[in-house]
Amino acid sequence: MRQRLIILVLAMLMVFTAACSSGTSSNGAKNQNGAGGNEVSQVELRIMWWGDQKRADITNEALKIFQEKNPGIKVVGEFAPSTGYFDKLNTQLASGTAPDIFFLGGNVVDYANKEVLLDLSPYVDKELNLSDMDQSMIQYGTIGGKLLHISAGANARGVVVNKTMLEKAGIPVPTDGWNWEDFARISKEISDKLGSGIYGTYNMSIDGMDIGLKQQGKQLYDMDKGTLGFEEADALKWFQYWDTAAKSGGVVPSELQVSNPPGDTSKSLVVTGKVAMSLIPSNQLAAIQGLTQDELIMVQVPRGEKGTGVVFESSQGLSGYAKTKHPKEVATLLSFFINDPDVAKILGNDRGVPVTSANRTLLESNANDVEKIVYDYTSRVSEATKTEPFAVSYNPPGFSEYSKLAETTMYEVGFGRKSVEQAVSDFYSGTVKIFKNNQ
């Protein structure tokens, strides 16, 4: 009786063990085949971005390709309109339910300071391949000595030049390597030769101020030191240049710039043929060109004492959640997003030009005429920064207040309400106060 009981128990154990081994893969995932096959166990990642339905469609298509090439990783995508995206993300971060990966923009420093971003440094040259990524982009995502952000697209600011207007005026079209003396002279010549109501350039004293400071070896905000990166004398030199250029007649008068701001493509005087040059991010060229029959090109910003001061600038990018349970898989997906050629073909320039030179070259081969100008221009900037690097710009604390003050300063000078010296003195003291109040 006892021997029969032992045999029965052993038989039951064998049946139980067989059931467990046939129902679970070697890594613990349940087998879904039902016929003894082995299905790959999947890690699940959530990723969230902002944008419209078109962006959602192409992003989901790219993620589908990732899953096909990485069958062990399942990706669940989420998106929201830009107006509500960060409210949604902040709510999830507060509750500890944030996605494993999420997109950020110029506010990446705010999230770095909250310590909610995954340090990707340990995965570089392993799961995360950055070998073909522009150094300025890597620098942009490195905050406090940690790699916290991977740019998904890039722009480079430059001067859009109405080639048709310059040829009409009989003026040689400028090329990379020109300087600010050339710029002021050409602006005045355009205005003089094309007549009343035509101007050489928009006033770039605010939009280009951080570039102008870098060209003097300074910067708007030194994030590493946590201080402003310039003195009052640096700002005065920059504003004096623009005041002189404006008084010569080559710069759009303030009253016209107020009603036709350069950032509003639909109102841009470049589109209407009233202004020959303006400072723009490279991704705006297509929109401007689409509204005019004149031929437009892009030229690097005139050089200053230390060079152009221009670098590749991140349009937006991806960060991992500090509390993710799958950091290696997060790094794998980020690497795929920026390096895979099939993904580059799908995403195109939706988030800016690719941040790797190989993918920029790939897309350029099938680009239309305007896109080729953008690719050529951004490649020139990328090459230039290899021999003439500049620090990446970050917005100072209280940036919205600062921007309003800077714009007010430009118009106070432009409308003659204050002398350049008084306006800059007030601007600098106001900037220091804003900075201290937002520390």
Side-chain angles (χ1 to χ4, degrees):
M1 181 70 178
R2 181 180 177 184
Q3 185 177 8
R4 187 178 301 173
L5 180 60
I6 292 173
I7 293 172
L8 179 60
V9 170
L10 289 172
M12 291 176 67
L13 284 172
M14 290 176 66
V15 171
F16 179 76
T17 302
C20 289
S21 62
S22 64
T24 307
S25 65
S26 60
N27 54 17
K30 290 185 177 181
N31 187 329
Q32 302 297 323
N33 289 344
N38 292 320
E39 182 175 288
V40 177
S41 173
Q42 287 188 318
V43 163
E44 182 172 297
L45 298 179
R46 290 169 53 217
I47 179 172
M48 188 166 76
W49 65 90
W50 72 82
D52 56 14
Q53 189 61 50
K54 176 189 173 184
R55 176 174 291 174
D57 291 342
I58 60 176
T59 303
N60 281 322
E61 188 176 350
L63 295 176
K64 181 180 178 182
I65 291 178
F66 172 79
Q67 291 175 100
E68 291 172 353
K69 296 184 179 182
N70 297 270
I73 306 175
K74 178 182 178 181
V75 185
V76 178
E78 306 172 25
F79 78 100
S82 57
T83 51
Y85 173 82
F86 287 103
D87 288 339
K88 180 178 180 180
L89 176 60
N90 292 338
T91 298
Q92 293 182 347
L93 286 168
S95 63
T97 60
D100 301 275
I101 302 168
F102 42 84
F103 276 78
L104 296 173
N107 55 358
V108 61
V109 175
D110 295 335
Y111 290 86
N113 291 338
K114 294 175 183 177
E115 299 184 345
V116 295
L117 305 183
L118 174 68
D119 183 6
L120 297 162
S121 305
Y123 310 102
V124 175
D125 296 329
K126 298 173 185 176
E127 292 82 6
L128 181 56
N129 176 14
L130 303 180
S131 61
D132 193 35
M133 189 176 187
D134 284 82
Q135 191 60 40
S136 62
M137 293 288 93
I138 299 174
Q139 181 187 352
Y140 181 84
T142 304
I143 302 169
K146 298 179 180 179
L147 180 62
L148 303 176
H149 189 70
I150 302 298
S151 296
N155 293 314
R157 282 181 290 173
V159 178
V160 58
V161 177
N162 188 315
K163 185 178 178 182
T164 303
M165 289 179 67
L166 267 73
E167 290 176 343
K168 183 179 178 181
I171 300 172
V173 178
T175 58
D176 295 350
W178 59 335
N179 59 36
W180 287 106
E181 289 182 6
D182 297 326
F183 182 84
R185 172 180 52 79
I186 292 172
S187 297
K188 178 172 171 42
E189 287 181 1
I190 291 169
S191 299
D192 289 345
K193 293 185 177 182
L194 294 184
S196 178
I198 306 297
Y199 302 94
T201 181
Y202 265 110
N203 189 323
M204 308 175 189
S205 57
I206 300 306
D207 291 343
M209 186 174 178
D210 65 317
I211 294 175
L213 290 172
K214 285 180 181 178
Q215 292 185 353
Q216 299 179 55
K218 303 297 180 69
Q219 59 189 116
L220 185 61
Y221 171 50
D222 188 332
M223 193 182 72
D224 291 337
K225 296 179 180 178
T227 63
L228 292 179
F230 69 101
E231 302 294 334
E232 183 178 328
D234 304 314
L236 179 60
K237 183 177 180 180
W238 178 247
F239 277 99
Q240 283 176 331
Y241 169 86
W242 284 99
D243 183 52
T244 300
K247 288 176 178 175
S248 76
V251 180
V252 173
S254 291
E255 56 268 22
L256 268 181
Q257 184 144 335
V258 168
S259 56
N260 299 273
D264 187 340
T265 304
S266 65
K267 296 181 179 180
S268 172
L269 295 172
V270 174
V271 169
T272 58
K274 301 295 185 182
V275 174
M277 298 183 290
S278 185
L279 182 68
I280 66 167
S282 54
N283 67 329
Q284 282 188 5
L285 181 65
I288 298 173
Q289 183 65 84
L291 295 173
T292 178
Q293 295 297 314
D294 289 355
E295 182 181 357
L296 307 179
I297 62 170
M298 285 198 72
V299 182
Q300 288 186 18
V301 173
R303 296 177 64 81
E305 298 169 7
K306 305 290 185 180
T308 65
V310 174
V311 297
F312 247 170
E313 298 173 329
S314 177
S315 58
Q316 57 179 270
L318 309 99
S319 289
Y321 183 30
K323 294 182 180 180
T324 181
K325 296 179 180 179
H326 310 292
K328 289 185 178 181
E329 287 80 4
V330 166
T332 299
L333 176 52
L334 299 190
S335 186
F336 184 87
F337 207 90
I338 64 170
N339 288 299
D340 189 87
D342 293 329
V343 167
K345 292 176 185 177
I346 292 170
L347 297 179
N349 299 317
D350 182 69
R351 291 181 171 93
V353 300
V355 294
T356 60
S357 60
N359 281 340
R360 285 197 299 274
T361 300
L362 174 68
L363 295 192
E364 187 175 0
S365 64
N366 296 310
N368 60 38
D369 290 342
V370 177
E371 289 172 339
K372 286 180 179 178
I373 293 173
V374 173
Y375 283 123
D376 177 66
Y377 175 72
T378 53
S379 294
R380 298 197 319 262
V381 171
S382 177
E383 284 300 311
T385 57
K386 292 178 182 178
T387 56
E388 195 176 77
F390 287 90
V392 174
S393 295
Y394 294 96
N395 293 342
F399 183 70
S400 60
E401 295 175 74
Y402 162 81
S403 296
K404 184 176 180 180
L405 174 63
E407 184 176 55
T408 298
T409 301
M410 179 179 72
Y411 287 126
E412 284 176 338
V413 174
F415 285 112
R417 295 170 186 158
K418 291 182 181 179
S419 67
V420 180
E421 292 76 14
Q422 184 61 55
V424 171
S425 176
D426 294 343
F427 163 74
Y428 188 76
S429 60
T431 299
V432 171
K433 182 178 180 181
I434 290 169
F435 181 83
K436 289 182 177 178
N437 289 342
N438 287 275
Q439 283 283 65

